[in-house]
Amino acid sequence: MRLSIHIKPFSFRLIKRLKTSQGIIEEKKGWLIHLENALGKSGWGEVSSLSHSEIAISGNLLKSLGNKISHDELETNLPFWPESLAFGVGAALGELNGLIGIGSDADWLPAPRSAILLSNNQSVLKEIDILLNNLETNQHPLTLKWKIGLEATQKEEALLFQILERLPNNARLRLDANGGLDRIQSKQWAQHFLTEPQLEWLEQPLPADDLEGLAELAKNIPIALDESLLMQPSLRKSWQSWQVRRPTLEGDPRALLQELKKKASYKMISTTFETGIGLRWIHHLAALQQQGPTPTAPGFAPGWCPNSLLFSNNPHDVWEAA
C-alpha cells in the first residue's frame, strides 16, 4: 500500500526554563508527520527528541523519503531509525491502522490527572501554597515532582522539610535527580524515605550506567529509573521497581501500547514536552496505565507549555499552528 507522507517542523519555548542536573530545557523543536492512504484515512505522528542532533538527523531522513512511500518500507525502516523518529512514524502507522484513536476499540482515552512539576527555586514554596489553596486540588490527592541535585544537599534537604510540612497527609512527592547524585548523596536522600511516607519514589538518583548502585538502593526504598531505561532498553523488561516511561524517546509506541493493554505494573507515563499530536498518545497511554494494577499520576508537566493551538487534541489545528 502506497502512502502519502507530509512533514512539517515545529518549535516553541517553554513558559519557564526547566533546570535539571543535566542542563536546562527552554525550547523544543521537532517534526510533525502526516500519513494518508488512498482511501483518505490519516495517521499523525511527532518527532520530539530532547537532542538537537537527533532532530536534525530525523529531519534529513524524513526529507529523503519523498512524498510517497509504501507501508512496508516504513515498517522495515523503523528499527534502524532514531528512537524519536521511530515514535513519530510508529504513532502515525498505529493510528492509520486503527490500533488507536477513532475506529479503534477505545478511541482516544482522556488524560488522567497529572502530577505537578515544581519550580527549581525558593518560589516552590509559594507555588505549593497556591496549589493547596485551590479547592479543586483539595478534592483530589496531590502528587508533586521536585528536581534535586541542583544545589548543595544540605540546602535542598532544608527546603524538602519545608515542602513536606506544607503537604496534606494524602499528598505524594517524587524526588528526581536526573542522575546527578553520587552514591553517598543518594544514600543520604534515601534515609528520608524511611521516615517520610509522603515521599513516593526517588527518580534516577545515580548516573544511568550505575546499575549496581541503583539496584542496591532499590532494596530499601522505591527507585524509579528514567535515563537508565533509555541507555539500556532491556531494563524495561527486568527492572522490578518503578519505570518512568517517556514514549516519544523510546521508539515505536505500539509496543508500549500493547504492554499497557496487558495491565503491566509499575510504569509511569511522562512527557518530554510534546505538541498536541504527541500528547494524544501520551494521554492515552497514561489512561491505560490508570486501568492497570499500579495506577499512579502521570507526568504531563502542566503549566510549562504555552497555551496555543499547537497543543490542541485536533491534529489539523496543531498542523496549522506549527
Side-chain angles (χ1 to χ4, degrees):
M1 180 190 300
R2 299 290 289 179
L3 303 174
S4 297
I5 179 170
H6 310 279
I7 62 173
K8 191 174 187 180
F10 72 84
S11 66
F12 63 89
R13 297 185 70 84
L14 300 184
I15 291 175
K16 46 191 174 181
R17 299 193 310 165
L18 176 60
K19 185 178 180 182
T20 77
S21 62
Q22 304 302 312
I24 294 175
I25 303 172
E26 53 187 339
E27 184 181 27
K28 277 300 299 286
K29 293 183 178 182
W31 294 90
L32 303 179
I33 300 171
H34 179 203
L35 299 180
E36 190 172 15
N37 66 16
L39 300 177
K41 184 173 176 56
S42 288
W44 304 81
E46 171 178 339
V47 182
S48 190
S49 174
L50 293 171
S51 164
H52 294 298
S53 61
E54 187 167 315
I55 290 296
I57 292 170
S58 297
N60 289 333
L61 286 169
L62 285 169
K63 293 173 185 176
S64 71
L65 299 177
N67 296 324
K68 295 282 186 178
I69 191 169
S70 73
H71 185 285
D72 290 345
E73 187 177 351
L74 286 177
E75 294 283 11
T76 300
N77 284 328
L78 272 183
F80 305 101
W81 282 338
E83 282 79 1
S84 61
L85 176 56
F87 170 86
V89 174
L93 289 172
E95 183 177 7
L96 188 69
N97 295 333
L99 295 178
I100 194 171
I102 299 173
S104 69
D105 55 1
D107 206 335
W108 292 105
L109 296 177
R113 181 173 295 272
S114 174
I116 304 297
L117 178 59
L118 296 171
S119 302
N120 304 118
N121 49 46
Q122 288 294 331
S123 68
V124 67
L125 298 178
K126 182 178 180 181
E127 186 176 353
I128 292 173
D129 289 339
I130 293 172
L131 286 170
L132 294 177
N133 285 331
N134 185 316
L135 291 177
E136 183 182 0
T137 298
N138 290 333
Q139 294 172 4
H140 302 272
L142 180 65
T143 301
L144 305 175
K145 178 174 177 175
W146 184 45
K147 301 283 187 180
I148 62 173
L150 307 175
E151 306 281 353
T153 300
Q154 186 176 8
K155 181 178 179 181
E156 289 186 335
E157 283 181 315
L159 191 52
L160 171 66
F161 296 140
Q162 294 181 71
I163 292 173
L164 291 173
E165 286 176 355
R166 282 167 159 77
L167 297 183
N169 291 333
N170 67 347
R172 294 293 177 264
L173 177 64
R174 301 166 180 172
L175 304 182
D176 183 9
N178 290 109
L181 305 179
D182 59 33
R183 290 194 180 187
I184 294 176
Q185 292 170 319
S186 293
K187 289 179 179 179
Q188 187 173 342
W189 280 103
Q191 291 300 311
H192 299 299
F193 284 78
L194 303 178
T195 58
E196 299 289 352
Q198 292 159 304
L199 294 176
E200 187 173 17
W201 64 59
L202 181 57
E203 186 171 326
Q204 197 66 51
L206 296 170
D209 59 353
D210 190 359
L211 299 181
E212 180 183 3
L214 291 163
E216 186 66 27
L217 286 169
K219 292 178 181 178
N220 299 308
I221 69 166
I223 297 294
L225 293 191
D226 181 354
E227 286 84 353
S228 291
L229 301 177
L230 298 175
M231 175 178 285
Q232 193 168 324
S234 62
L235 287 169
R236 296 170 191 153
K237 295 183 178 180
S238 61
W239 185 256
Q240 298 301 306
S241 187
W242 283 100
Q243 300 180 17
V244 176
R245 304 295 293 268
R246 294 193 278 174
T248 54
L249 303 183
E250 288 191 9
D252 188 343
R254 291 173 290 182
L256 182 55
L257 177 66
Q258 296 306 313
E259 190 177 344
L260 292 171
K261 282 185 175 181
K262 294 177 181 178
K263 310 300 184 185
S265 58
Y266 297 108
K267 320 294 181 191
M268 191 278 284
I269 306 302
S270 180
T271 183
T272 49
F273 303 112
E274 301 83 9
T275 74
I277 286 176
L279 280 174
R280 296 185 308 160
W281 272 85
I282 305 304
H283 292 167
H284 186 91
L285 294 171
L288 285 177
Q289 193 278 337
Q290 294 284 302
Q291 299 172 9
T294 54
T296 192
F300 300 150
W304 285 77
C305 290
N307 182 18
S308 79
L309 288 177
L310 194 61
F311 306 95
S312 167
N313 59 10
N314 184 328
H316 296 278
D317 290 342
V318 177
W319 188 270
E320 291 301 318

